[in-house]
Amino acid sequence: MNNSYKNHHEVVIVGAGAGGLAVAASLLKRRPDLDIAVVDPATEHSYQPGWTLVGGGVFKREQTRRPMASVIPKKVKHYQQAVVSFHPDVESIEMSNGERLHYNILVVSPGLKLNWDAIPGLKETLGKNGVTSNYQWETAPYTWQNVQQLKHGKAIFTQPPMPIKCAGAPQKAMYLACSEWLSKGVLKDIDVEFCNAGGVLFGVADYVPALMSYIEKYGINLNLGQTLVAVDGERQIATFEITNGEGQKERIEKDFDMLHVCPPQCPLDFIKNSPLADDAGWFDVYQDTLQHKHYENIFGLGDGTNTPNAKTAAAVRAQAPVVAENVLSVLVKQSPRAVYDGYGSCPLTVERGKIVLAEFVYGGKVKPSFPKWFIDGTQPSYLAWLLKEKSLPWVYWEGMLKGHEWLVNPVIAAKPPRQ
């Protein structure tokens, strides 16, 4: 690498979301003198896990967003630009202002694309006509407004095909709504449906019994294998695609008074169209070291990679120290040995004041952070609710984004997984 380039940094990080900033903080914790740049056009940083609680009337949306300048580590240079292309063979990226940045190590944590346009009619009606989503800052408060206003009628909650951010979020919105309606005595007058494109309620079987007990408690009509494909907001009609008994796809229409939509999700275009993507468009890394499969000095983490873990902030919190360790190894010409086990967590808000704390690693194997006598993640718990409402936002802002790695110390393998 020619370090004489004007715009050269030891480490360049693409994306100043949870993954990018957590890696920057973890790197500086290990090497305070490291020359790091972060590239991201955003002026604000969002705590996305909080949007479920905004939609449930627990948080105000303003609590979930801070100025970007206040969360980027002071020693890190911020280029407030978008990345338009990657040039890994000459170790550079091109930004939207036409400038190139050169690096020794590249870390990519861009997130993914919420594909609102994939469902005809959805974008035009989102935020009105009873159509809402906790998946964006702008409309999460409208979810709570709908919940408060609905006294009778039909409420539909949807989940698209995987992969999506936080696979439990679509049903979290539903349980919090039902909890509110039950407390107000109106749930009996509301027909609630959960239309899930998948074949199971939740991907890790250990947590399904507790969730099913709430499906039954709230009288929710659970419809698996139903994919939202169109929305007519003016007429309040949602169209779903199903597979009938003969194995043929057909479409059915459902009317609604409230529709909570989880949009389909896909790779971002600038990743998909780059030499760093796999055939499906996701950032192509080894699932253990998070090193790129073709470029040894490139790493990736977060929602935009092709690792087969749950796409959650908890996963990023576990991935960031692994990437930090491995980046520093490669900087000194050593093979990466820190290993990510696929940890992810999904605090399922089954009612206001109780959570089923799902924690698991690759293969759907349960991996709790706490002893069972303290929090049994397979059962609804008030302590888990306190963790979600009180502790985790603080851990995010004051811990993860500042290089503190509580409960996520990386495992260092005796030998590199590959050389």
Side-chain angles (χ1 to χ4, degrees):
M1 161 55 70
N2 182 354
N3 292 2
S4 64
Y5 287 115
K6 173 185 156 191
N7 290 341
H8 172 269
H9 300 275
E10 286 180 284
V11 178
V12 169
I13 299 173
V14 175
L21 294 190
V23 167
S26 285
L27 282 167
L28 290 172
K29 172 190 171 185
R30 289 164 171 79
R31 253 196 64 186
D33 63 333
L34 198 62
D35 172 24
I36 303 174
V38 169
V39 186
D40 195 306
T43 58
E44 294 179 296
H45 180 99
S46 295
Y47 174 58
Q48 294 180 28
W51 294 347
T52 290
L53 295 182
V54 173
V58 180
F59 286 174
K60 299 295 184 188
R61 69 176 174 185
E62 290 73 24
Q63 293 174 254
T64 67
R65 187 166 272 190
R66 294 186 182 180
M68 185 66 81
S70 72
V71 293
I72 292 181
K74 288 185 170 43
K75 293 181 179 179
V76 172
K77 182 172 176 61
H78 179 203
Y79 291 87
Q80 199 178 324
Q81 301 288 330
V83 172
V84 295
S85 60
F86 295 92
H87 304 276
D89 292 328
V90 291
E91 297 175 329
S92 73
I93 61 170
E94 184 177 345
M95 299 183 292
S96 49
N97 63 358
E99 290 185 9
R100 286 203 178 192
L101 280 189
H102 298 264
Y103 57 80
N104 290 18
I105 303 282
L106 179 67
V107 177
V108 181
S109 185
L112 50 66
K113 179 179 178 180
L114 300 177
N115 196 4
W116 304 102
D117 291 322
I119 300 175
L122 173 58
K123 202 170 181 180
E124 297 82 353
T125 194
L126 195 60
K128 59 186 180 183
N129 300 316
V131 182
T132 187
S133 180
N134 287 346
Y135 271 79
Q136 61 177 14
W137 189 81
E138 292 80 6
T139 52
Y142 186 55
T143 300
W144 180 235
Q145 181 183 326
N146 274 280
V147 170
Q148 289 179 297
Q149 292 176 349
L150 193 63
K151 303 289 189 273
H152 56 82
K154 188 168 185 178
I156 301 176
F157 296 80
T158 75
Q159 179 170 316
M162 293 296 179
I164 62 170
K165 288 171 176 279
C166 190
Q171 55 187 298
K172 293 181 197 181
M174 175 177 66
Y175 297 138
L176 284 177
C178 287
S179 180
E180 177 68 12
W181 291 328
L182 184 63
S183 72
K184 292 291 191 290
V186 299
L187 182 59
K188 64 185 185 302
D189 300 314
I190 300 174
D191 178 13
V192 183
E193 281 193 41
F194 185 39
C195 298
N196 183 346
V200 294
L201 178 60
F202 191 70
V204 182
D206 297 67
Y207 302 103
V208 171
L211 299 178
M212 279 304 301
S213 72
Y214 278 91
I215 294 287
E216 292 160 8
K217 174 181 177 178
Y218 296 135
I220 295 166
N221 184 8
L222 176 60
N223 293 310
L224 301 175
Q226 297 195 1
T227 305
L228 181 68
V229 292
V231 179
D232 185 333
E234 292 289 333
R235 295 168 58 219
Q236 290 191 305
I237 291 176
T239 303
F240 291 86
E241 188 172 87
I242 64 171
T243 303
N244 63 24
E246 285 74 49
Q248 299 169 321
K249 292 188 183 302
E250 62 180 47
R251 295 193 169 195
I252 57 174
E253 291 186 344
K254 301 184 183 190
D255 61 333
F256 63 83
D257 296 284
M258 173 183 173
L259 177 68
H260 179 275
V261 179
C262 172
Q265 291 160 43
C266 60
L268 288 159
D269 292 341
F270 82 103
I271 297 295
K272 186 177 182 177
N273 300 326
S274 79
L276 304 177
D278 67 9
D279 291 341
W282 300 99
F283 198 77
D284 195 16
V285 297
Y286 291 113
Q287 69 176 41
D288 46 14
T289 61
L290 305 176
Q291 185 180 39
H292 195 271
K293 290 181 180 175
H294 303 291
Y295 298 95
E296 292 183 352
N297 66 334
I298 299 178
F299 292 83
L301 73 159
D303 296 344
T305 71
N306 59 359
T307 54
N309 57 278
K311 295 182 183 294
T312 68
V316 169
R317 199 165 76 86
Q319 290 172 345
V322 169
V323 171
E325 287 282 347
N326 290 337
V327 163
L328 295 179
S329 293
V330 172
L331 271 174
V332 294
K333 310 299 182 189
Q334 294 178 0
S335 297
R337 290 192 296 127
V339 172
Y340 170 60
D341 62 5
Y343 176 81
S345 175
C346 190
L348 292 144
T349 50
V350 289
E351 63 178 279
R352 190 171 183 127
K354 285 193 178 176
I355 274 176
V356 170
L357 183 59
E359 295 181 280
F360 42 88
V361 295
Y362 286 137
K365 182 183 176 185
V366 174
K367 186 188 179 184
S369 297
F370 307 99
K372 209 166 188 176
W373 60 263
F374 184 61
I375 295 178
D376 180 355
T378 65
Q379 300 301 317
S381 158
Y382 174 63
L383 279 175
W385 174 272
L386 289 179
L387 186 74
K388 168 79 173 172
E389 184 192 5
K390 305 293 186 188
S391 300
L392 290 182
W394 183 85
V395 166
Y396 183 88
W397 296 113
E398 304 302 327
M400 175 176 160
L401 297 192
K402 295 186 176 179
H404 300 296
E405 297 163 7
W406 304 307
L407 299 178
V408 288
N409 289 328
V411 172
I412 309 297
K415 295 181 180 178
R418 61 195 62 81
Q419 287 182 300

